Amino acid sequence: MLPWKSFAVDLALKSGALLKEKFSQTHEINYKGEINLVTEADKMSEDLIIEAISRNFPDHGVLSEESPAINGTGKLRWIIDPLDGTTNYAHGYPVFCVSIALENDGEVILGVVYDPMREEMFVAERGEGAYLNDKKISVSSIKNISRSLLATGFPYDIRESKDNNLDYFNTMAVNVQAIRRAGAAALDLAHLAAGRFDGFWELKLKPWDTAAGCLLVTEAGGTVSDIAGSEWHLQSPNLLASNGLIHEQMIKVLRFK
Ligand code: IPD
Ligand code: CA
Ligand code: CA
């Protein structure tokens, strides 16, 4: 077991408890863009996480959504989304999570996604499988895209950019059983790892949205690539993740452009 695993799980529990406690209160909302919000809870969760990392592992780097990056002196770097699903959170829609990943020399080795409303802790260590509340999870066995339940999301520049996923969404919608847009990409990926979704794609995600979730998917037996089927990495402009069985079918549908 990686020595940082219990630290990361404990941190996710603490920041999740904070998010849950503040959830029903009135939020201080600031706009980072036309429709891109940040609340006081994003910041409080992030402060709690970064303070604990800096105190316990002063040599580790940190990449977190709401703060400037911290360069570590070694090869280990934490990648944090202190609140994934901020728009849901700000509206009182109870679908959000905290996402914590640890990278070693560019490779994600640990991923933790915690949903405090459902008290669901998703954990993956590279090479050790994926777990939900300590029970091993695996991706679904749906083989036919037409029977699949997919998840996706839309970028914050949906109003300004034509590269906004609406065309892919339209095309995919008539090829599958249904598509959900729940509003928390890290949680979508965790649910895919647990077999609740059969596939997921999205454009313009950031490393903090995907680092933990993609490790969960691959450790649960799923497949991750970009939407053209090429190798995916944290900086890729788009992501396609699936149970593996419908991967090629999803690529084929998304190839219409
Ligand atoms: C967002 C959510 C959403 C996705 C956006 C993300 P945030 O993250 O994951 O589902 O569609 O692309 O930016 O802003 O709530 O942390
Ligand atoms: Ca996010
Ligand atoms: Ca966030």
Side-chain angles (χ1 to χ4, degrees):
M1 202 212 322
L2 290 171
W4 308 281
K5 182 177 151 188
S6 57
F7 170 79
V9 167
D10 186 53
L11 213 44
L13 279 171
K14 285 191 176 125
S15 79
L18 184 149
L19 294 174
K20 189 173 177 179
E21 185 198 316
K22 301 208 75 64
F23 180 59
S24 50
Q25 301 173 11
T26 310
H27 300 296
E28 228 173 83
I29 294 173
N30 285 297
Y31 281 81
K32 298 193 279 183
E34 190 72 26
I35 56 167
N36 190 355
L37 315 176
V38 58
T39 73
E40 83 294 351
D42 297 67
K43 298 257 171 65
M44 289 172 80
S45 169
E46 186 171 76
D47 287 351
L48 184 156
I49 295 169
I50 295 181
E51 191 278 322
I53 294 172
S54 310
R55 185 162 29 89
N56 287 278
F57 307 111
D59 54 323
H60 291 189
V62 182
L63 175 68
S64 186
E65 183 172 10
E66 314 298 346
S67 294
I70 299 171
N71 291 320
T73 50
K75 291 181 172 174
L76 293 164
R77 180 172 76 148
W78 296 88
I79 304 177
I80 313 291
D81 195 334
L83 168 49
D84 185 45
T86 297
T87 306
N88 291 345
Y89 191 87
H91 285 262
Y93 181 58
V95 177
F96 58 88
C97 64
V98 51
S99 176
I100 299 176
L102 181 63
E103 193 188 48
N104 180 15
D105 207 12
E107 179 181 70
V108 177
I109 54 169
L110 172 66
V112 175
V113 171
Y114 181 52
D115 171 353
M117 302 310 278
R118 292 180 172 272
E119 296 183 359
E120 290 192 324
M121 179 70 73
F122 299 87
V123 181
E125 281 175 88
R126 184 165 291 274
E128 300 293 331
Y131 293 80
L132 164 52
N133 293 347
D134 295 323
K135 279 200 173 144
K136 205 165 186 348
I137 49 173
S138 53
V139 292
S140 72
S141 53
I142 295 284
K143 287 186 187 66
N144 184 344
I145 192 171
S146 134
R147 295 276 177 271
S148 69
L149 179 62
L150 303 188
T152 191
F154 300 94
Y156 284 121
D157 63 0
I158 187 170
R159 297 184 184 179
E160 299 91 43
S161 168
K162 286 214 167 75
D163 193 21
N164 60 9
N165 200 24
L166 289 170
D167 47 2
Y168 288 124
F169 183 88
N170 284 344
T171 307
M172 195 61 100
V174 294
N175 280 279
V176 300
Q177 196 155 65
I179 306 178
R180 302 290 176 248
R181 194 287 190 247
L187 207 48
D188 290 340
L189 289 163
H191 288 183
L192 170 57
R196 297 168 181 172
F197 288 130
D198 309 303
F200 168 88
W201 87 96
E202 193 163 337
L203 318 180
K204 302 178 185 174
L205 289 172
K206 299 287 198 295
W208 45 79
D209 299 311
T210 55
C214 283
L215 184 66
L216 280 161
V217 170
T218 52
E219 287 299 321
T223 303
V224 164
S225 72
D226 70 12
I227 62 170
S230 301
E231 196 181 338
W232 174 85
H233 49 86
L234 283 172
Q235 310 297 338
S236 292
N238 55 62
L239 167 66
L240 171 57
S242 81
N243 65 3
L245 301 169
I246 61 162
H247 210 79
E248 283 307 316
Q249 296 167 64
M250 286 183 72
I251 291 170
K252 213 169 152 194
V253 172
L254 295 173
R255 205 182 278 147
F256 72 95
K257 276 217 267 195

